[in-house]
């Protein structure tokens, strides 16, 4: 039978492993979001902040997580088609961006 100290250590190890996995997923998501941000900056062209805002706008209009919007956009570099809802929202967001820049 495990002592209270061993049980506490095991619990801590389990919690640390879970946190480590979560951080790994966050870092992977961040890399994809940064790649998509760069793509938007090249398409628009616009600042990094404006690209972030545009991706957030698309995410909110599609009701799709930002990391999933970013992954779909990055996947187009591998000949995958951007899903239609994201295409429409991206077109609208780019139009709004260009209209704002003209003012």
């Amino acid at each position: 039978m495990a002592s209270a100290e061993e049980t506490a250590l095991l619990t801590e190890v389990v919690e640390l492993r879970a946190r480590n996995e979560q951080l790994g997923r966050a870092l992977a998501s961040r890399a994809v979001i940064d790649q998509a941000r760069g793509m938007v900056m090249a398409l628009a062209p616009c600042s990094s902040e404006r690209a972030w805002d545009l991706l957030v706008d698309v995410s909110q209009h599609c009701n799709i997580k930002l990391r999933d919007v970013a992954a779909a956009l990055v996947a187009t570099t591998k000949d995958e088609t951007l899903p239609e809802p994201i295409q429409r929202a991206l077109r609208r967001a780019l139009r709004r961006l260009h209209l704002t820049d003209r003012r």
Side-chain angles (χ1 to χ4, degrees):
M1 182 161 232
S3 70
E5 186 177 307
E6 290 171 332
T7 302
L9 282 174
L10 183 58
T11 300
E12 186 177 355
V13 166
V14 168
E15 289 172 1
L16 287 171
R17 284 183 179 162
R19 191 174 306 154
N20 189 36
E21 279 183 41
Q22 183 181 17
L23 287 171
R25 285 192 304 274
L27 281 173
S29 291
R30 186 65 192 201
V32 170
I33 291 169
D34 285 343
Q35 288 173 349
R37 202 174 187 178
M39 291 173 70
V40 170
M41 290 168 64
L43 281 172
C46 63
S47 69
S48 178
E49 293 79 24
R50 297 285 294 271
W52 172 266
D53 292 342
L54 187 140
L55 288 170
V56 168
D57 186 53
V58 170
S59 170
Q60 290 175 345
H61 277 87
C62 294
N63 197 27
I64 299 173
K65 290 182 187 256
L66 179 61
R67 69 175 176 258
D68 295 335
V69 168
L73 188 57
V74 170
T76 63
T77 65
K78 297 177 183 141
D79 294 328
E80 290 190 33
T81 304
L82 196 60
E84 186 61 34
I86 296 175
Q87 282 184 34
R88 282 193 307 272
L90 183 60
R91 259 188 252 114
R92 284 192 299 262
L94 285 168
R95 265 191 238 114
R96 281 191 300 274
L97 178 69
H98 289 297
L99 288 174
T100 304
D101 285 347
R102 289 185 190 167
R103 295 179 186 163

